[in-house]
Amino acid sequence: MDFVRGFWRKHRRKVYVTAGCLGSGYLLYKLYSSHTRRLAALERELANERANDEIIKTQMKAHFESIQMIVDSTTLPHAMQYLSIRISEEIDVSNVMERLNKGKGMLSPFEKLQLWDELKILSFTRMALSLWSVTMLSLYIRVQVNILGRHLYVDTARALGSSHLLEELDLIDRDDEQKFLSSADFLVTNAMPCLISDMQIAVKEVLKGKQLKDVITTRVLQETVMRIVDVFMSSGSPHHWIDYLMMPQDAKLSRNTNGSSDETLTKFHQLMVETREVLISNEFTHIVDISLKCFTDALVEEMETQTVAGGLATGIPLAKVLPHIEKTIHVITAEPSKNRFLQLIRDLSEVQLFFTLLYANMPQ
């Protein structure tokens, strides 16, 4: 016993230190083991999330592509047909041309000049209006369908992952969906008279001083059409042209300062507010600019190929350009599957990127 006591007194400090080290080592081992298990669990969770993200990305890509196909095969053809008919009804140049043909030898020089001047204004108005309307309506409908498609995808995903009954979730109902899509007819059914009037004002301003005998080349025609569109777009308040595409926005439908929407608004109104916000964005304005220029350039190039013996390439009198303008109208408003101008716009890399980002980044 004395030996034990002596040993304890002599080595007590070493025993405490050794025991402390062993205890600390064991505690560190337990902490490390627990941390390792948590890391492994987190890695498995992250791997599952990455796998789920890939699945979601694949599903969204497939859904996005199907949305674009719906636009090209269903929504746009209906809108373009309706638009083409309405433009032909509202701007009819056949009456003026008939009066010119029947009045040969009977019209006074002043009367003849007046009819030619009227034909000039109507022809350019019809061309510029058709070009602008087809471009803007096609872009607007793509905005609409991508917004709606994104909402429907998110709503469906929420419904599948929710324990609530579908009836209890705040989904877009069929009536709001149809009402939202049919609002694309606003340009044709409501805004057309005002649109024609304002476009004609721009045409008169740009063509003021241009004589029927003035020589028009491909470049001059391209610059003239773009100038008409620019004057039209820049007249009035900023983004005034949106009111030709969709009904004026009620003040109570606008979003509040923190960006959230009024809970009392219907899904239809929320979709309309989102659409307007996209249309007034700088990104969409850029897409509009490059689309209109692409359309104009391609149209004028096509008109150049229609003229014989050099034609527009070397220059022809303005009076001889008018019949070629009339021939292009049915090409401008052709159905999407046969409309190479719409296909050119659709294939622009900037346009494709814009709608990809619009679909992917829609507020949830």
Side-chain angles (χ1 to χ4, degrees):
M1 181 65 70
D2 291 337
F3 172 77
V4 173
R5 288 173 181 166
F7 180 84
W8 171 252
R9 281 195 301 270
K10 186 177 180 179
H11 298 286
R12 179 174 55 186
R13 182 178 179 82
K14 294 179 180 179
V15 171
Y16 281 145
V17 171
T18 302
C21 289
L22 291 173
S24 298
Y26 179 74
L27 178 60
L28 287 172
Y29 168 76
K30 294 292 289 183
L31 290 172
Y32 175 77
S33 179
S34 174
H35 181 64
T36 301
R37 286 195 299 270
R38 286 199 299 270
L39 281 178
L42 180 59
E43 287 177 355
R44 287 194 298 271
E45 183 179 343
L46 290 174
N48 289 334
E49 288 181 358
R50 283 194 293 269
N52 289 335
D53 286 344
E54 289 302 317
I55 292 173
I56 291 173
K57 287 178 182 178
T58 301
Q59 291 175 339
M60 287 187 66
K61 183 175 184 294
H63 189 246
F64 172 76
E65 290 172 352
S66 69
I67 288 293
Q68 312 316 308
M69 290 179 63
I70 289 173
V71 172
D72 292 330
S73 62
T74 305
T75 315
L76 267 181
H78 162 76
M80 290 301 116
Q81 181 182 21
Y82 197 9
L83 177 65
S84 177
I85 293 172
R86 190 66 196 279
I87 291 176
S88 297
E89 291 175 347
E90 293 294 325
I91 308 179
D92 184 13
V93 300
S94 60
N95 182 46
V96 179
M97 295 180 71
E98 185 179 354
R99 287 160 61 192
L100 277 170
N101 289 329
K102 289 184 176 180
K104 287 180 179 179
M106 295 182 290
L107 293 172
S108 67
F110 178 75
E111 291 173 329
K112 188 176 180 180
L113 185 60
Q114 275 192 319
L115 286 175
W116 271 106
D117 193 59
E118 184 179 353
L119 180 62
K120 176 185 70 177
I121 298 300
L122 287 176
S123 295
F124 272 91
T125 299
R126 192 177 179 187
M127 178 175 63
L129 180 85
S130 299
L131 185 153
W132 186 90
S133 299
V134 168
T135 302
M136 299 302 291
L137 191 57
S138 67
L139 293 175
Y140 176 73
I141 288 175
R142 287 193 186 280
V143 169
Q144 270 197 314
V145 175
N146 277 282
I147 287 177
L148 180 61
R150 181 68 168 85
H151 274 280
L152 291 175
Y153 181 87
V154 171
D155 286 350
T156 301
R158 285 174 176 168
L160 293 175
S162 173
S163 59
H164 297 287
L165 295 175
L166 285 175
E167 290 79 4
E168 297 175 352
L169 295 172
D170 186 23
L171 304 178
I172 299 175
D173 62 37
R174 194 70 176 173
D175 288 341
D176 279 339
E177 180 182 335
Q178 292 298 325
K179 188 177 179 182
F180 178 60
L181 291 176
S182 64
S183 68
D185 292 333
F186 179 79
L187 183 151
V188 178
T189 57
N190 297 82
M192 187 59 72
C194 185
L195 175 59
I196 292 173
S197 176
D198 290 345
M199 187 65 76
Q200 193 168 83
I201 291 174
V203 168
K204 288 180 178 179
E205 178 177 333
V206 173
L207 295 185
K208 181 172 55 179
K210 285 192 179 293
Q211 305 297 319
L212 294 170
K213 62 182 179 181
D214 289 350
V215 175
I216 303 295
T217 62
T218 304
R219 181 177 177 179
V220 171
L221 181 59
Q222 190 272 345
E223 292 174 349
T224 301
V225 175
M226 283 306 304
R227 176 63 181 153
I228 291 170
V229 173
D230 289 343
V231 169
F232 168 76
M233 292 287 280
S234 61
S235 64
S237 60
H239 306 294
H240 72 95
W241 46 266
I242 294 177
D243 291 337
Y244 301 116
L245 296 171
M246 58 191 303
M247 64 185 74
Q249 179 174 278
D250 193 317
K252 68 181 179 181
L253 300 183
S254 59
R255 300 202 173 210
N256 60 35
T257 54
N258 65 11
S260 61
S261 58
D262 190 335
E263 294 180 358
T264 63
L265 297 182
T266 65
K267 280 289 186 178
F268 165 72
H269 288 137
Q270 291 178 27
L271 291 170
M272 293 297 286
V273 168
E274 280 188 27
T275 301
R276 183 173 286 271
E277 289 178 347
V278 172
L279 265 57
I280 65 175
S281 68
N282 292 331
E283 294 80 3
F284 185 75
T285 299
H286 175 63
I287 293 303
V288 167
D289 290 342
I290 62 175
S291 296
L292 287 170
K293 187 176 187 309
C294 174
F295 201 145
T296 302
D297 290 348
L299 177 64
V300 173
E301 286 175 7
E302 179 152 320
M303 290 178 65
E304 181 181 287
T305 63
Q306 293 176 356
T307 56
V308 296
L312 279 173
T314 56
I316 57 176
L318 176 57
K320 291 188 176 181
V321 174
L322 301 183
H324 293 292
I325 290 178
E326 285 308 305
K327 291 178 183 178
T328 65
I329 301 301
H330 73 280
V331 180
I332 296 174
T333 57
E335 62 179 272
S337 63
K338 299 178 181 178
N339 194 318
R340 81 178 190 90
F341 306 114
L342 286 181
Q343 292 168 9
L344 286 172
I345 292 174
R346 182 193 61 197
D347 294 338
L348 289 171
S349 58
E350 295 94 332
V351 173
Q352 291 181 343
L353 178 60
F354 174 82
F355 286 109
T356 299
L357 293 176
L358 173 64
Y359 179 84
N361 296 330
M362 192 58 52
Q364 301 180 27

